[in-house]
Amino acid sequence: METDLRLESSLWVGNKRYRALLTGWHFQWTEVDKKNRDKKTISVPVSEVVGVDEGQVEILPQKSTEDTDKDFTVFYVKRSSSGGLHGLLWRLGRIQFSCPSRVLRDQWTQHLRTALKTHSPVRPHRLLVFINPFGGKKKGRQIYHSLVAPLFELAGISSHVIVTERANHARDHLLKKDLTGFDGVVCVGGDGMFSEILHGLIGRTQQEAGLCENDPSVTLQPCPLHIGIIPAGSTDCVCYATVGVIDPVTSALHIIIGDSQPLDVCSVHHTAALVRYSVSLLGYGFYGDVLAESEKHRWMGPLRYDYAGTMVYLSNRSYAGIVQYLPADPLLSSPRDKTRCLSGCSVCSKSTGRLFPHPSDSGSLYSSHFSQFSNDSEEGEWVSVEGRFRCVSLTCMSSSCPKSPLGLSPSAHLADGTGDLILVWDTHPLGFLKFLYRHTSTQDQFDLPFVEVHRVKAVRFSLPAGKEEEAFEETGGLDEEERTHVETISRNGSQQQLTERSMGQEIANEQKSATPFLCGLCCSKAPAASVWNCDGEILPFTNIISRIHGQLVRLYARGIEDGATMHSCSEENCERA
């Protein structure tokens, strides 16, 4: 097939003549009239060709077309440095070729389009797009229609756009409406919008598979639809950690070429009910207190997080707790091994075979052995620690962001079926400040005597007996209606457990648990319990069970590209676009 697609001829770009060559996998062109020997060849993988149009065509900032008989325009992915520690910006490259005849022009356009269909079979053709018009700077619609929609049109992607009107609009649509014919779901918004899509797709998939999400030991079915993220929120942690930059055009191009990045997901349960899913941060103590305090000052905008962080730090809180965790195999990887999960990560690639030993059984993850929630698991023994903690955190990814370029756990992997558990024991304020400061630099935040990090597959957290009673008295515990609600969602199995009523209960509990929190530095007594921060949402329960589900969803991404490798390639005579 590759031989059939081969095409080579002389083409003109402006007043310069080039030798263009199309093989099955690459399209490249070299200037042939250059007198010196330094003839640079531009080579573009066919998989990164965005589209081909007859004539002289412009797409961004506005589409314009001049129909000429002998010209054609090729659009492709062009990389540039983001100026940060990692990640590359993708831009829409454009080159216009002139042919000696219309017959040759038609031959080139036909061969290029055939090569695209042959070597890019996983590209999406129809997408369901949700736009959050309220997130971030409220520019979601503008970002989509001015930057993303023209690229989708160029690539021949049709999209059905829904502008969300309320919280959980996207989640409810995914749970209830017909999704036949869609190749993927795109969210234009921040981490909150992504979480809605995540819960909707996972819930829908388990409903159709007849699985009970409320059972912590159940093997969840991986979602068949990919998720694309167009960053347009106040926080875009998931996009940053999976692409390396926060840039709508870069993300749109990843969606167009059909990149596929598997992603681990953490389920959080309380008693016999699913509470929530998490991919970036499940944090107790400091991170929970910061979120609870920031909710009181929403009028401050994004500055509320800096203010709340300062107030919580000055309050000098620590909390008693019992942490139990199921360690992952230390021979596979370690949170202290100084590796980074980049595009083509070998740890994640090897994990696919381990997590899914039978390719035909996509739900085989843990299928034969999630007896690991018992103490006598063949997968290892639970480890239990008890004491006072400044914070307890669990993350399925590095959780990097512009303010913390390496993230909570720099060596965490996106798709190895594990999470990193970070325990920060009670320490003096300056020691904890050093821990926090190291998140903003390249220093090792784990190289401190009061910090532990463990690679795990599951975690339990509970309060010591005395503290549990004290926390119950402070918050008032669960009333009769709340207990009935928990029992109801437990009985309903894989039905929609995150209903509007549940969200109402969460808000009520947030108010209960937030009341004893920071009332200034004059508080005479610290609360017995903190709250859990689950991807920016406060959980209504303290005692939880969490489990990592390997590669449960797939994103239109390829992981963070290594800028140093791309730079060394560009210095060679054969330059990659």
Side-chain angles (χ1 to χ4, degrees), residues 147-158:
L147 297 177
V148 179
L151 297 178
F152 284 178
E153 182 182 354
L154 169 66
I157 297 175
S158 64

Side-chain angles (χ1 to χ4, degrees), residues 234-302:
S234 54
T235 59
D236 298 289
C237 174
V238 178
C239 181
Y240 193 87
T242 56
V243 178
V245 294
I246 298 175
D247 178 67
V249 171
T250 300
S251 295
L253 291 172
H254 278 289
I255 295 170
I256 287 170
I257 68 174
D259 272 339
S260 183
Q261 172 63 55
L263 188 67
D264 297 337
V265 177
C266 173
S267 62
V268 184
H269 292 78
H270 173 74
T271 60
L274 173 71
V275 182
R276 205 165 178 86
Y277 292 109
S278 168
V279 296
S280 57
L281 170 66
L282 182 62
Y284 181 83
F286 178 79
Y287 296 111
D289 289 2
V290 169
L291 181 60
E293 180 68 12
S294 69
E295 287 300 299
K296 303 175 185 178
H297 308 282
R298 296 189 68 87
W299 57 270
M300 296 177 67

Side-chain angles (χ1 to χ4, degrees), residues 115-398:
L116 278 178
K117 292 180 181 179
T118 304
H119 298 297
S120 301
V122 294
R123 291 192 177 193
H125 299 288
R126 188 163 181 249
L127 296 171
L128 177 59
V129 180
F130 291 98
I131 301 177
N132 178 5
F134 309 108
K137 298 180 180 179
K138 301 182 179 180
K139 293 185 177 180
R141 293 190 209 190
Q142 178 185 341
I143 288 173
Y144 178 77
H145 290 295
S146 64
L147 297 177
V148 179
L151 297 178
F152 284 178
E153 182 182 354
L154 169 66
I157 297 175
S158 64
S159 56
H160 178 65
V161 179
I162 297 176
V163 179
T164 58
E165 300 174 352
R166 56 178 173 79
N168 297 314
H169 183 172
R171 184 206 67 193
D172 294 344
H173 184 98
L174 293 172
L175 284 168
K176 299 174 183 178
K177 302 297 183 180
D178 184 15
L179 303 179
T180 304
F182 290 110
D183 300 308
V185 181
V186 175
C187 64
V188 183
D191 290 332
M193 188 66 174
F194 170 79
S195 182
E196 278 197 40
I197 303 295
L198 181 78
H199 283 82
L201 283 182
I202 295 177
R204 174 66 171 264
T205 303
Q206 309 325 308
Q207 286 181 25
E208 293 179 347
L211 298 176
C212 176
E213 295 175 88
N214 293 312
D215 182 358
S217 65
V218 75
T219 299
L220 297 183
Q221 187 79 10
C223 300
L225 295 180
H226 279 61
I227 303 175
I229 306 173
I230 303 296
S234 54
T235 59
D236 298 289
C237 174
V238 178
C239 181
Y240 193 87
T242 56
V243 178
V245 294
I246 298 175
D247 178 67
V249 171
T250 300
S251 295
L253 291 172
H254 278 289
I255 295 170
I256 287 170
I257 68 174
D259 272 339
S260 183
Q261 172 63 55
L263 188 67
D264 297 337
V265 177
C266 173
S267 62
V268 184
H269 292 78
H270 173 74
T271 60
L274 173 71
V275 182
R276 205 165 178 86
Y277 292 109
S278 168
V279 296
S280 57
L281 170 66
L282 182 62
Y284 181 83
F286 178 79
Y287 296 111
D289 289 2
V290 169
L291 181 60
E293 180 68 12
S294 69
E295 287 300 299
K296 303 175 185 178
H297 308 282
R298 296 189 68 87
W299 57 270
M300 296 177 67
L303 286 176
R304 69 185 184 272
Y305 298 112
D306 295 331
Y307 171 79
T310 302
M311 295 296 291
V312 170
Y313 168 75
L314 292 174
S315 69
N316 196 29
R317 298 276 170 82
S318 64
Y319 299 94
I322 302 172
V323 181
Q324 297 172 289
Y325 61 90
L326 188 65
D329 188 346
L331 298 179
L332 298 176
S333 64
S334 164
R336 301 294 303 276
D337 59 15
K338 304 296 182 183
T339 62
R340 290 179 56 216
C341 186
L342 299 174
S343 179
C345 174
S346 61
V347 173
C348 294
S349 298
K350 293 176 183 177
S351 297
T352 301
R354 174 174 55 86
L355 297 172
F356 303 103
H358 306 293
S360 60
D361 181 13
S362 60
S364 63
L365 174 60
Y366 301 117
S367 59
S368 61
H369 54 66
F370 214 77
S371 57
Q372 59 190 32
F373 270 88
S374 69
N375 288 324
D376 300 323
S377 168
E378 64 186 54
E379 287 298 300
E381 295 185 356
W382 287 80
V383 178
S384 180
V385 293
E386 180 177 355
R388 295 193 68 84
F389 302 94
R390 285 297 185 110
C391 58
V392 176
S393 306
L394 178 64
T395 180
C396 294
M397 57 174 61
S398 67

Side-chain angles (χ1 to χ4, degrees), residues 359-544:
S360 60
D361 181 13
S362 60
S364 63
L365 174 60
Y366 301 117
S367 59
S368 61
H369 54 66
F370 214 77
S371 57
Q372 59 190 32
F373 270 88
S374 69
N375 288 324
D376 300 323
S377 168
E378 64 186 54
E379 287 298 300
E381 295 185 356
W382 287 80
V383 178
S384 180
V385 293
E386 180 177 355
R388 295 193 68 84
F389 302 94
R390 285 297 185 110
C391 58
V392 176
S393 306
L394 178 64
T395 180
C396 294
M397 57 174 61
S398 67
S399 294
S400 56
C401 65
K403 287 189 176 181
S404 179
L406 296 181
L408 292 175
S409 187
S411 294
H413 289 274
L414 295 172
D416 66 343
T418 70
D420 285 356
L421 173 66
I422 305 165
L423 304 176
V424 182
W425 297 84
D426 192 16
T427 186
H428 56 86
L430 289 180
F432 187 57
L433 181 62
K434 181 184 291 186
F435 169 75
L436 294 176
Y437 174 76
R438 288 189 176 185
H439 286 79
T440 66
S441 67
T442 57
Q443 288 182 285
D444 184 0
Q445 63 260 44
F446 303 142
D447 189 21
L448 295 167
F450 53 88
V451 179
E452 295 180 22
V453 59
H454 306 278
R455 188 143 289 171
V456 301
K457 293 182 289 186
V459 174
R460 294 190 188 116
F461 182 88
S462 59
L463 296 176
K467 294 295 181 181
E468 190 169 353
E469 295 173 2
E470 188 177 339
F472 185 90
E473 292 174 0
E474 287 178 355
T475 62
L478 292 176
D479 57 31
E480 184 63 31
E481 183 180 1
E482 290 167 333
R483 281 195 297 270
T484 302
H485 170 67
V486 172
E487 293 170 0
T488 300
I489 59 176
S490 175
R491 288 194 302 268
N492 285 344
S494 62
Q495 299 300 314
Q496 181 186 348
Q497 75 288 340
L498 294 172
T499 59
E500 294 301 328
R501 183 181 177 189
S502 174
M503 296 304 296
Q505 294 295 338
E506 288 187 22
I507 293 172
N509 279 283
E510 286 176 24
Q511 294 171 346
K512 288 182 180 180
S513 59
T515 301
F517 272 96
L518 305 176
C519 54
L521 301 180
C522 58
C523 289
S524 58
K525 181 182 178 182
S530 178
V531 294
W532 284 99
N533 176 346
C534 182
D535 289 359
E537 297 289 338
I538 295 176
L539 299 187
F541 308 107
T542 303
N543 294 354
I544 63 168

